Amino acid sequence: MIDAKKFIKFLKNNKISFFCGVPDSILKEFSNEIIKTKGIKHIISPNEGLAVSLAAGYNLSTNKLPCVYLQNSGLGNTINPISSIAHKKVYSIPLLLLIGWRGAPKIKDEPQHKVKGTITKKLLRLLDIKYSEITNDLNKTKNLINYAKKNNKPVAILVK
């Protein structure tokens, strides 16, 4: 993960000020920093599907892009609200998903993360969610944010 404070400032500069999700150890620095950040709305959710639903409601009430953070093992919990609410063919709700990528290929991790790590990108493609892996060069993230806003679609950033 890039410097959490820098990344949150980048998101705020791109008019993202609503964050909700389920804390994840890969995103620990991000979660710790988001709690300390002023000028944002932050909700810790009991599960990922509820976080997506809260973010969808936020977008519908403000027309602003929300950020949902989660671990890829929770991606399955988001399938129903993404496909039945946020999907382009339903209500076209843009979301920025920040996903801690457990079990990413070529990274040593616990056995329970291997299968989900291997299929994470496949699940995103199946849900028609454009994604990229995070790097210190935030141009890809900027492009994803612009894509989400322009096309009213969820997008995802994968964090190893």
Side-chain angles (χ1 to χ4, degrees), residues 142-153:
K142 175 76 171 162
N143 290 340
L144 275 177
I145 289 169
N146 290 338
Y147 178 86
K149 289 176 180 179
K150 180 180 178 188
N151 295 286
N152 291 318
K153 290 180 71 171

Side-chain angles (χ1 to χ4, degrees), residues 29-126:
E29 290 179 35
F30 173 82
S31 296
N32 289 340
E33 193 61 40
I34 205 81
I35 290 168
K36 298 186 279 185
T37 303
K38 303 237 186 289
I40 62 161
K41 185 174 277 292
H42 176 230
I43 299 172
I44 297 173
S45 175
N47 67 59
E48 299 81 2
L50 180 57
V52 167
S53 299
L54 287 167
Y58 172 81
N59 172 266
L60 290 171
S61 67
T62 65
N63 206 31
K64 294 179 182 176
L65 181 64
C67 177
V68 178
Y69 59 91
L70 63 141
Q71 183 181 127
N72 63 324
S73 65
L75 189 56
N77 291 332
T78 70
I79 289 174
N80 189 47
I82 286 175
S83 62
S84 63
I85 299 171
H87 197 278
K88 181 77 174 167
K89 293 181 179 178
V90 186
Y91 295 111
S92 298
I93 298 173
L95 305 168
L96 175 63
L97 305 174
L98 182 65
I99 303 172
W101 192 8
R102 296 296 204 121
K106 300 180 185 173
I107 293 184
K108 186 170 172 54
D109 205 336
E110 300 298 321
Q112 67 269 24
H113 299 299
K114 288 182 181 179
V115 173
K116 188 62 77 95
T118 303
I119 66 170
T120 294
K121 287 183 174 182
K122 292 174 189 170
L123 286 172
L124 291 170
R125 284 191 294 270
L126 182 64

